[in-house]
Amino acid sequence: QVQLVESGGGLVQPGESLRLSCATSGFTFSSAVAMGWYRQAPGKERELVATITSAGVGTRYADSVKGRFTIFRDNAKNTMYLQMNSLKPEETAMYYCYVRLTFTSTRYWGQGTQVTVSS
C-alpha cells in the first residue's frame, strides 16, 4: 500500500523558515517518475508549489516561490522535502505531498501538514 506522511508544519512568523518532510512507503521510491507539493488555503484554489523528477535533477517551482523554496528527495530514506525560506503570511495553507508512480497513473496523496505564517 502506498503511503505518504507529511510532517514539519507549524506556526512561524513572517520571514522565518520551515522544512516539510514527506515520508513514503509501499513502492519503489527511486522508480517514481515525479513527486511534489501542493498547498491549499480555505476558500482558495489548490496550487502546485514544486515538483521533482525521479532522478532528482529536474525541478519546477511556482513563480511565487522561486528563489525561496527548494524541493529535494533522499532515495536512501524514501523521503521528499520542501525547504521553505522567507515565508509570507499569504503562504498560510495546508501543504500536501504527492507521488506519481508512472506517467499514466494517478497521484497518491498524503494527509497534509498545516503551515501558518503569522505575526
Side-chain angles (χ1 to χ4, degrees):
Q1 181 180 357
V2 175
Q3 292 184 319
L4 292 77
V5 181
E6 300 95 336
S7 63
L11 173 64
V12 297
Q13 295 183 346
E16 295 183 341
S17 300
L18 283 174
R19 178 177 290 184
L20 306 183
S21 299
C22 178
T24 74
S25 61
F27 65 98
T28 302
F29 186 85
S30 61
S31 296
V33 300
M35 311 176 75
W37 295 87
Y38 281 82
R39 65 188 178 191
Q40 186 170 32
K44 297 183 178 180
E45 297 287 336
R46 183 184 65 177
E47 60 178 346
L48 179 62
V49 178
T51 61
I52 186 169
T53 65
S54 59
V57 297
T59 58
R60 298 177 182 177
Y61 298 92
D63 288 342
S64 62
V65 308
K66 288 180 179 178
R68 296 187 297 112
F69 288 15
T70 303
I71 185 171
F72 58 100
R73 55 194 286 176
D74 187 337
N75 287 355
K77 296 182 178 180
N78 294 344
T79 301
M80 176 183 59
Y81 304 90
L82 182 68
Q83 178 67 42
M84 306 186 295
N85 296 331
S86 301
L87 282 161
K88 304 174 181 180
E90 56 265 38
E91 292 173 320
T92 294
M94 185 73 74
Y95 284 70
Y96 301 90
C97 67
Y98 78 88
V99 174
R100 192 160 185 161
L101 302 183
T102 72
F103 288 110
T104 59
S105 65
T106 60
R107 295 176 177 85
Y108 292 90
W109 297 91
Q111 294 299 306
T113 184
Q114 178 68 40
V115 173
T116 302
V117 186
S118 179
S119 300

